[in-house]
Amino acid sequence: MATNKKSKKELLKEARSQELEGKTNEAIKSYSLVISKDPLEAKAYNRLMILYRKLKEYKKELAIIKQAIGAYEKDIKDDQLIWKKANTKSAKLSLNLAKSMGLLNDKGLPVYEEPQIMTWRKRMETVQKKIKTLTKPQKKKPIARSKKQR
């Protein structure tokens, strides 16, 4: 069966078995294919993040985290736009009410985030810290001299 013809469920199952067999690169490709078919597939994003963490490829992990958050935020924004177009009068009232109650951020997105997005944001902070510590030059420790050397 060709890869393009496989369902998302089949691809996820295949990726997981590749992962368990130690075929990490193939699993990464399969999970990436799942995401290209369904940009809101949290399981594929999560597994990719884990694989990149195991490989210590923190920049790639960070890119996946940003991609996942971006996809979810875009979906929320798109849903809002569709609803606004269908309900213009209600949308104006709701928007003003939500802003006055502090339910929207500066971007107009809800302050409340889905637990999955909150988890990814937390993970993003951790990865950013790892990247910073890896790129910092290590200070050389002074060599302790014995009394005889002085």
Side-chain angles (χ1 to χ4, degrees):
M1 187 187 272
T3 308
N4 293 343
K5 305 285 185 198
K6 291 182 182 178
S7 71
K8 179 179 74 170
K9 188 176 180 179
E10 290 172 321
L11 283 169
L12 279 169
K13 195 181 266 188
E14 181 180 289
R16 188 66 180 139
S17 67
Q18 289 168 334
E19 194 178 336
L20 293 172
E21 292 169 10
K23 298 177 181 176
T24 307
N25 290 329
E26 289 87 348
I28 288 172
K29 287 176 188 173
S30 296
Y31 285 127
S32 297
L33 191 58
V34 170
I35 290 169
S36 68
K37 285 183 176 256
D38 181 5
L40 299 176
E41 182 54 57
K43 187 174 184 176
Y45 285 117
N46 288 328
R47 295 309 308 164
L48 276 173
M49 291 173 203
I50 290 167
L51 289 174
Y52 285 131
R53 175 76 56 96
K54 285 180 180 178
L55 294 171
K56 296 184 181 186
E57 293 188 29
Y58 303 117
K59 289 183 180 180
K60 288 182 180 180
E61 181 183 1
L62 183 61
I64 290 296
I65 295 168
K66 288 180 178 181
Q67 181 183 348
I69 292 171
Y72 272 68
E73 284 181 344
K74 182 185 180 308
D75 186 58
I76 291 167
K77 197 79 166 167
D78 290 348
D79 285 349
Q80 283 179 342
L81 289 174
I82 291 168
W83 187 83
K84 283 179 186 177
K85 285 180 182 177
N87 306 286
T88 51
K89 288 181 182 178
S90 298
K92 286 179 185 176
L93 289 171
S94 296
L95 183 64
N96 290 333
L97 180 62
K99 281 182 181 176
S100 68
M101 294 178 70
L103 299 175
L104 298 177
N105 67 15
D106 296 337
K107 294 179 183 178
L109 293 170
V111 174
Y112 167 79
E113 285 188 321
E114 291 185 31
Q116 182 62 70
I117 294 176
M118 288 177 14
T119 303
W120 287 336
R121 287 197 194 283
K122 204 173 199 178
R123 185 175 190 128
M124 184 166 57
E125 288 175 21
T126 304
V127 173
Q128 287 170 332
K129 285 178 187 174
K130 281 187 179 286
I131 290 171
K132 279 182 186 176
T133 57
L134 290 176
T135 56
K136 279 186 183 176
Q138 298 294 322
K139 292 182 181 177
K140 291 184 180 179
K141 293 182 181 179
I143 301 171
R145 294 182 184 186
S146 66
K147 290 182 181 180
K148 290 180 184 177
Q149 290 177 337
R150 289 186 194 169

